[in-house]
């Protein structure tokens, strides 16, 4: 950590600041420039010290050289983390595809979609039972019943399942039914939810907040990791920018950046990342080319009648199947394996 | 609601779409242009219809002419809403100032600050007992004890109190101690929290998500209103932009915009909106000039040693007192009253 | 300047870097932390050194402690710059109002508007003869003739004039007719234009690029100052954000920030900054409360028929006059003087 | 075009507006809803009408259904445009790679880099002689001499050349030396420059303004096309967002979006789009997977000593060569051809 003084600071004030720093049991190393003075803090400082320095008079800027997250950092864990769920290894060289509808609507709907998702070659069934909606009058999901329907469909067709959990109170019930718990973009900094997920043993797919920096994203992951749950996947799902033609701007550079800063698997969501069906295929391929460990893609058998209005970004089943075949060819050029003829996953 | 077709749509497809619309019990009014056709939907349509149309093939765009929120809208409630709490009337012509530390730290700290806040002329004491923090290793607030300390300080000095609630489970305890419950920027779309707040009778100060549009902001307020709690204040607290010199970009146009779209009181937060102490005074004045019904301002007796690191944006007590005196002169030119010599509020 | 090394750098590489730095005639001061090493560069380094360090292997980050602009900086020129044009002193305690249409349309139009602008109490007539338009098929301004019309109207009514110049080739002719030359937001980094303006002696109003940081803005001003023209005003006119309800987000914190970083006068443009007539009045007042030295405001006698489509953000004459009267009362509370009954400016 | 009225509009005002519309020789089609009325304008309206309607009282919103650009639109020109320069066909199925340094520094530098660019398999040599720099004290390019050096290197090694032109006055001299003229991101809306480029016959690579929407980008291209020059390529080079870890956020969805809205070739710039060397390779591959017609990539033999400081985003020659080989394998899976063993281009 470095503190940069104002250009008008006095020697007395520098001495006071150094004295304050040393009370924290770390060393202060003063380096006077022609214009300003730089104080280096050497040793492991408490976060509180940085915060205090930042607000002390005479200090213009405090730059943390260490990162605010540790367990999520590649420095801490140099090898890629691999999350193994019933033999599906996320982050381990196998491209993992999660496909399915925005929302679970009925047993028939989710069963039929699961069949198609499996037939196309994907490994995970996605579907929402609790839906975060901008306004209170929109369809909010069918709740626990939907969890049951999806669990049955997954088991029948040999697919893992992933579903979104919105509030700490529902973590346990979601964990009972689904193999992976998803934290949505609006909840990336719902810290009570993150803390609760840190106490489960279910893998978590954490979506990037639509205006979160990489550092904030990894700090949110750190909440879950620090709670004791090491099984976190990061998901880039588009950020909010001035461009409104697409629903979001899918930030594909996030994939190599996150993989360099962190050991956690990185998944891309081209459906929410673009909000437009015709962009899902090119952006899926681009995600894999950029190094994604997996994709989460919306597919619906009847997008015109989806209950959430997200049909506009859902692939038709035949588009989904075609995409899987293209990815099977593309994956090996991107250091990944992907086999659309894999055996069903055995779900207990 | 208007649906705009693609330029290549066939008459058959238009007829199908019209047929689909009419199944919802509303009228479809087809207007053919030289290039595209516009289908007007006349009558009160379910939200689901808009969602379905948006994803139907042949439809390029669906434009809602009605707004997604109702109870929050000025069309629905033409007069300004006034929230009366023990005689302090928020939104009713009196400028309301909420001042205090980022976090409650000790009984002595909050008592002394409450004394100074009251002496300066403000009506509400702010202070956090539960703190949302980017990383898990930062100070997270002192919890329920802090609520008690603040309630005592408020009662003693004749100030209303406001505190942040982060999760549905804590709404009841926060409502027991504080006069106003605050929803933080990261929780603006924590829908379970909003629903729970809709069931209390405590006034709520809802902060704008740092990347939320006005429409999303008002839709979030609608969750609380639709739950049965009419006492919602909107708080502009800065948005995230490319500029990083300030912590956020305080969007003061939000004040007149929100007051035209909605009847709810609008409060400005120049402390978080700028993140820099020296900008709080000019931006407080500018907020009032733009039409704010009140301000929420951080003040600390010892900002160098605040526990959250937000001291850098906290005013010193004498700056806070000077600001109150300036606002007393400014308010009448902006259609507000503000009297720094008011009697203490009687807190039950 | 500080260079921060990667955590894996070797002593040999540090020695090489130090050797490289010393070739520039400055000192390198090495400070080893537990994790990384910091190299302070002491003495006045060429910009090129920073650029080179930033790209050297083993260096993670280079932080400039000095600012990239000098002549624009308040460190360099601690007093406020005052630009005196025929007795109108911009930046010197008098609030300066520039009013007029988006575009000059005819001699009658600009004469009538000039009369109203003067009658209301403003000191400067604005009007465009060359208009930057997003598409090639929109009205592009009436050119040199418009300059003549505006100069005549200004002279007749005792108003200074300001007009936009879009390309180096037209600087001389615009300078012949107008008292102040305006650089539009899209041209803030048109460096050849800035260089040319540095060679004139006409005052320049430089608008902030709609996505420019404060540092880029001041660096653009530096181009003009470095060319020899000290008469530069900075104009905040709104930045581009995710919010599309307003045309731009007027960043009022820019006013106190720019006035602290720089000695140059700061003008606010609430018309382009909001793009909506009904927001011009509250944001004008907020600008003055935030410390603006002046405003540039669109006014039109027949906004429904303005040739540029900017009528939607133009005040009607009576709104403009009412605003001037309100500002006359507000200015003294904000440390400014403003007298709507001033004598006409004598234009030579 | 559709005009949406306010909910309180009177029948008289609607009649006035209809009357006004009909004066433009087009039809007005009134469609009354329960809440608001929609007026459809049928026939080819002048741009001015839209602008006028937008600012008329009683009108809430005007929605253009037609696009503001024509010649750039795929509706106007359904087939892909192919720009053939000495047999290199840009936009025609061949992946086109432009490689080279940020700035031309010396005859030896550009000759050696040209040799390596050609050896790796690229078709175009990039290099700047005029450099747009944020501050006036940075290296501004070596000017016309640099154009000559690059032209010689291109001719010798059988590479087309591309260079940036910053101001109308230099278009002719740049066109004399270079095969492709580049418009930089800061000049995307330098309309005088675009108009001048419309009058040349040199192909133009137009970079997207770092905060320009797709519509503004295509409208800028329209300026060049409308001037008579049909040879325009669009270049996505990253947009400005809140994330500062990368220099820009490379918006790869822009590639399929622009190719659907327009017939013009689309090039991606992963060097400026990320600003970090280690991200250039994954983002180059992702660009091709997203459907780019070509890439423009910075490469330098001695990035530590590049004169512009952009070395930090320049590939080393061996990285560039490796990337070309990877792209040779990837291109066929993305519908493109790329042959690193092609004959040199014959430059006249």
């Amino acid at each position: 950590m470095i503190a940069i003084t104002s250009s008008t600071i006095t020697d007395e004030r520098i001495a006071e600041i150094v004295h304050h720093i040393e009370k924290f049991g770390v060393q202060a190393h003063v380096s006077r420039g022609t214009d300003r003075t730089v104080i280096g803090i050497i040793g492991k400082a408490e976060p509180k010290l940085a915060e205090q320095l930042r607000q002390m008079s005479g200090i213009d800027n405090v730059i943390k050289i260490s990162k605010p997250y540790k367990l999520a950092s590649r420095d801490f864990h140099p090898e890629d983390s691999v999350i193994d769920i019933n033999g599906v290894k996320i982050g381990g060289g196998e491209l993992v595809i999660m496909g399915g509808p925005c929302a679970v609507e009925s047993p028939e709907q989710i069963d039929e979609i699961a069949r198609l998702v499996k037939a196309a070659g994907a490994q995970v069934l996605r579907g929402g039972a609790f839906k975060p909606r901008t306004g209170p009058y929109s369809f909010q999901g069918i709740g626990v019943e939907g969890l049951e329907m999806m669990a049955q469909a997954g088991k029948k067709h040999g697919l893992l399942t992933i579903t979104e959990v919105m509030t700490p109170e529902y973590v346990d019930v979601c964990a009972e039914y689904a193999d992976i718990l998803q934290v949505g973009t609006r909840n990336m900094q719902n810290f009570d939810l993150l803390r609760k997920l840190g106490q489960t043993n279910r893998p978590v797919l954490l979506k990037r907040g639509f205006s979160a920096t990489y550092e904030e994203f990894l700090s949110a992951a750190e909440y879950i990791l620090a709670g004791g749950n090491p099984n976190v996947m990061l998901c880039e799902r588009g950020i909010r920018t001035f461009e409104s033609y697409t629903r979001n701007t899918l930030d594909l550079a996030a994939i190599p950046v996150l993989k360099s800063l962190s050991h956690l698997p990185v998944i891309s969501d081209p459906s929410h990342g673009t909000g437009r069906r015709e962009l899902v295929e090119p952006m899926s391929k681009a995600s894999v080319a950029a190094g994604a460990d997996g994709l989460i893609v919306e597919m619906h058998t009847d997008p015109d009648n989806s209950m959430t209005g997200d049909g506009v970004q859902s692939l038709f089943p035949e588009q989904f199947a075609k995409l899987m075949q293209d990815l099977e060819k593309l994956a090996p050029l991107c250091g990944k394996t992907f086999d659309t003829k894999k055996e069903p996953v055995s779900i207990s």
Side-chain angles (χ1 to χ4, degrees), chain A:
Chain A
M1 187 164 58
I2 290 167
I4 299 170
T5 69
S6 72
S7 55
T8 56
I9 196 168
T10 60
D11 284 358
E12 288 68 30
R13 182 64 182 155
I14 292 177
E16 280 170 29
I17 293 169
V18 166
H19 181 69
H20 186 80
I21 290 168
E22 289 173 348
K23 284 194 293 187
F24 280 76
V26 290
Q27 275 183 276
H29 185 287
V30 176
S31 169
R32 284 166 211 271
T34 39
D35 184 18
R36 291 165 199 238
T37 291
V38 171
I39 306 174
I41 288 83
I42 299 167
K44 197 169 154 27
E46 290 176 54
K48 197 180 152 180
L49 175 57
E51 295 172 349
Q52 288 190 7
L53 283 172
R54 192 165 280 125
Q55 51 194 306
M56 291 178 84
S57 58
I59 297 292
D60 247 34
N61 204 356
V62 173
I63 297 152
K64 292 194 196 177
I65 293 174
S66 309
K67 291 160 188 149
Y69 49 88
K70 287 172 206 173
L71 306 176
S73 158
R74 194 171 277 278
D75 294 344
F76 173 80
H77 186 300
E79 274 85 53
D80 285 351
S81 275
V82 180
I83 303 175
D84 184 337
I85 316 175
N86 292 19
V88 177
K89 296 188 177 66
I90 304 173
E94 179 183 3
L95 188 68
V96 175
I97 309 293
M98 311 176 181
C102 183
V104 179
E105 299 173 10
S106 71
E108 296 73 25
Q109 176 239 25
I110 194 69
D111 181 75
E112 173 63 2
I113 292 179
R115 189 183 67 76
L116 291 161
V117 163
K118 179 62 207 163
Q123 305 99 321
V124 187
L125 177 65
R126 61 152 289 156
F130 301 95
K131 301 299 306 171
R133 305 307 302 277
T134 301
Y137 310 122
S138 299
F139 171 65
Q140 312 269 326
I142 60 174
V144 176
E145 272 184 279
L147 296 177
E148 285 178 21
M149 294 173 195
M150 188 164 61
Q152 286 200 0
K155 194 165 183 176
K156 174 170 165 195
H157 296 285
L159 289 163
L160 300 175
T161 54
I162 177 170
T163 203
E164 176 162 352
V165 56
M166 286 172 61
T167 198
E169 172 184 3
Y170 279 88
V171 166
D172 290 336
V173 69
C174 289
E176 192 184 325
Y177 288 104
D179 299 298
I180 307 172
L181 300 179
Q182 174 183 319
V183 177
T185 188
R186 294 173 186 79
N187 279 319
M188 191 200 84
Q189 293 191 315
N190 183 335
F191 300 118
D192 286 278
L193 177 59
L194 301 179
R195 271 188 280 259
K196 177 76 181 171
L197 288 165
Q199 295 160 17
T200 70
N201 58 0
R202 277 285 179 231
V204 175
L205 181 139
L206 177 66
K207 289 201 164 185
R208 180 182 183 186
F210 57 70
S211 287
T213 62
Y214 303 144
E215 192 168 298
E216 289 167 343
F217 190 14
L218 291 166
S219 296
E222 189 82 5
Y223 265 93
I224 305 173
L225 299 169
N229 183 349
N231 298 313
V232 177
M233 297 160 238
L234 304 169
C235 179
E236 163 62 32
R237 49 77 68 206
I239 59 173
R240 181 159 280 186
T241 68
F242 60 84
E243 178 61 70
S244 62
Y245 182 92
T246 45
R247 182 170 171 179
N248 293 286
T249 297
L250 190 64
D251 174 17
L252 290 189
I255 298 171
V257 168
L258 292 169
K259 291 200 71 75
S260 75
L261 296 176
S262 176
H263 52 93
L264 299 172
V266 179
I267 308 297
S268 175
D269 176 350
S271 305
H272 290 85
T274 63
R276 299 177 79 108
R277 182 183 295 140
E278 74 275 17
L279 300 177
V280 172
E281 179 245 320
M283 295 309 278
S284 292
K285 292 178 179 174
S287 297
V288 173
D293 294 303
L295 301 176
I296 181 162
V297 177
E298 291 196 5
M299 186 260 268
H300 201 287
T301 45
D302 184 11
D304 272 13
N305 287 298
S306 94
M307 291 174 79
T308 58
D310 271 359
V312 72
Q313 68 193 29
S314 293
L315 294 183
F316 288 99
E318 54 278 16
Q319 292 175 313
F320 185 81
K322 171 69 166 58
L323 175 62
M324 294 305 107
Q325 286 159 19
D326 288 353
L327 293 178
E328 193 165 23
K329 290 177 212 136
L330 187 64
L333 288 185
C334 307
K336 292 283 186 304
T337 62
F338 183 57
D339 173 7
T340 58
K341 301 283 180 293
K342 277 180 306 287
E343 291 300 298
V345 182
S346 160
I347 310 293
S348 51

